């Protein structure tokens, strides 16, 4: 029987690339989306996947959607940005980003864990960001959510090792996608040693490595930043 993976935020650029990689490796896919139903339907057909919808802020929907699902791998990838200088950042912006990225990832992980614990097997990869390691201008909310997810990952490693469940994180730098489309690549070239934005596929391969291949790695954060963070 093929192994299975649940990927949140699969309708985004990086989520889609992660789906493609796991599909190419023979996994069966559970693909989550929020608003982009059209894209989700396209992925459902392309990957013969099961699609699941919820808002990361809605704990009850998450519990309901995941109550009967059993997977080998969970990739927590869904996230948002809502940037502003800390002086102008509103409480609403702070709360929405923390609730979606941090609390949402907690909710999904909690909902999927009982079956992994029962199976005494599982692997979790959290897609975080270099902003969560070194911070970033105008991203107090996003950086805080991703930094907290790194601490969350390290704690999952400790709490879950006894159940043969690993937890790791991938920290992308600047990746060509909708989330980064407002950033001018040329102005960043000088601070990225490899001199270019990464591709979603280059993140996806690292997620797959940690999720499936790195059987003696847990609690790690793998930077995928073209050498920007060392
Ligand atoms: N792109 C970069 O440069 C970069 C850099 C570092 C880290 N990352 C991280 O990589 C991951 C993927 O990024 P991306 O660039 O692929 O993002 P993206 O293209 O903006 O996609 C975001 C995904 O999250 C889902 N989502 C958004 N709000 C949601 C909500 N309230 N509830 C449930 N799902 C929600 C979206 O679903 P719908 O579209 O269906 O609504 C979509 O599938 C994120 O964790 C991001 O923080 C990205």
């Amino acid at each position: 029987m093929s192994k299975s993976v649940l990927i949140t935020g699969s309708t985004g650029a990086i989520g889609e690339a992660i789906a493609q990689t796991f599909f190419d490796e023979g996994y069966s896919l559970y693909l989550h989306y929020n608003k982009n139903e059209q894209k989700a339907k396209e992925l459902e057909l392309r990957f013969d996947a099961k699609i699941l919808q919820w808002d990361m802020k809605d704990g009850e929907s998450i519990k309901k959607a995941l109550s009967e699902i059993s997977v080998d791998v969970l990739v927590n990838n869904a996230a948002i940005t809502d940037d502003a200088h800390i002086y102008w950042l509103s409480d609403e912006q702070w709360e929405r980003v923390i609730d979606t990225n941090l609390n949402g990832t907690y909710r999904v992980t909690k909902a999927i864990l009982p079956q992994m614990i029962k199976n005494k097997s599982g692997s979790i990869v959290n897609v975080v960001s270099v902003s969560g390691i070194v911070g970033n201008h105008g991203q107090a909310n996003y950086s805080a959510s991703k930094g907290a997810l790194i601490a969350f990952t390290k704690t999952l490693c400790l709490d879950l090792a006894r159940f043969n469940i690993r937890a790791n994180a991938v920290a992308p730098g600047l990746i060509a996608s909708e989330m980064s489309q407002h950033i001018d690549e040329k102005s960043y070239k000088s601070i990225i040693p490899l001199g270019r934005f990464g591709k979603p596929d280059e993140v996806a391969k690292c997620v797959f490595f940690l999720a499936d291949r790195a059987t003696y790695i847990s609690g790690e954060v793998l930077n995928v930043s073209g050498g920007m963070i060392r």
Side-chain angles (χ1 to χ4, degrees):
M1 210 173 72
S2 63
K3 287 200 250 180
S4 56
V5 59
L6 166 63
I7 302 161
T8 67
S10 67
T11 41
I14 294 175
E16 180 178 359
I18 296 170
Q20 181 74 57
T21 301
F22 277 84
F23 176 77
D24 291 343
E25 296 286 347
Y27 269 71
S28 47
L29 310 187
Y30 289 91
L31 300 179
H32 155 262
Y33 69 103
N34 183 32
K35 293 195 174 141
N36 197 345
E37 189 177 4
Q38 193 185 333
K39 179 82 189 185
K41 290 241 152 95
E42 190 191 312
L43 299 177
E44 179 182 35
L45 271 183
R46 185 173 1 139
F47 299 130
D48 191 21
K50 295 192 177 61
I51 53 171
L52 303 163
Q53 192 281 334
W54 64 73
D55 187 315
M56 298 295 279
K57 300 189 288 308
D58 181 355
E60 285 313 308
S61 300
I62 293 172
K63 277 189 205 152
K64 209 168 146 201
L66 295 178
S67 63
E68 311 228 308
I69 284 174
S70 174
V71 289
D72 300 286
V73 174
L74 166 63
V75 181
N76 284 312
N77 168 72
I80 55 166
T81 53
D82 192 351
D83 299 354
H85 184 281
I86 186 65
Y87 183 81
W88 288 284
L89 187 75
S90 68
D91 292 351
E92 195 277 331
Q93 281 176 297
W94 172 267
E95 274 150 25
R96 197 167 73 89
V97 171
I98 296 291
D99 201 20
T100 304
N101 299 0
L102 176 59
N103 299 344
T105 299
Y106 161 77
R107 291 177 186 116
V108 172
T109 307
K110 274 287 275 188
I112 215 78
L113 262 182
Q115 56 81 22
M116 280 189 178
I117 288 175
K118 198 168 145 226
N119 295 343
K120 290 213 167 13
S121 171
S123 176
I124 298 167
V125 178
N126 296 321
V127 180
V128 295
S129 167
V130 296
S131 306
I133 301 170
V134 294
N136 196 19
H137 293 289
Q139 289 198 315
N141 49 3
Y142 180 75
S143 304
S145 74
K146 295 296 188 175
L149 283 175
I150 290 172
F152 180 62
T153 306
K154 288 173 186 280
T155 302
L156 290 180
C157 156
L158 298 175
D159 280 354
L160 299 175
R162 78 186 70 166
F163 303 109
N164 189 33
I165 298 168
R166 295 180 300 106
N168 291 290
V170 165
L174 285 156
I175 307 301
S177 69
E178 210 169 294
M179 205 177 254
S180 61
Q181 70 183 0
H182 60 285
I183 304 168
D184 175 23
E185 185 166 353
K186 277 195 218 111
S187 64
Y188 271 85
K189 271 196 169 167
S190 60
I191 61 159
I192 305 172
L194 283 180
R196 63 172 177 86
F197 282 9
K199 298 181 200 127
D201 170 61
E202 292 173 309
V203 177
K205 293 218 157 47
C206 296
V207 170
F208 182 78
F209 166 72
L210 285 176
D212 186 274
R213 295 289 150 88
T215 49
Y216 200 52
I217 295 181
S218 192
E220 275 304 317
V221 183
L222 182 58
N223 297 318
V224 188
S225 66
M228 195 164 64
I229 302 296
R230 294 174 297 279

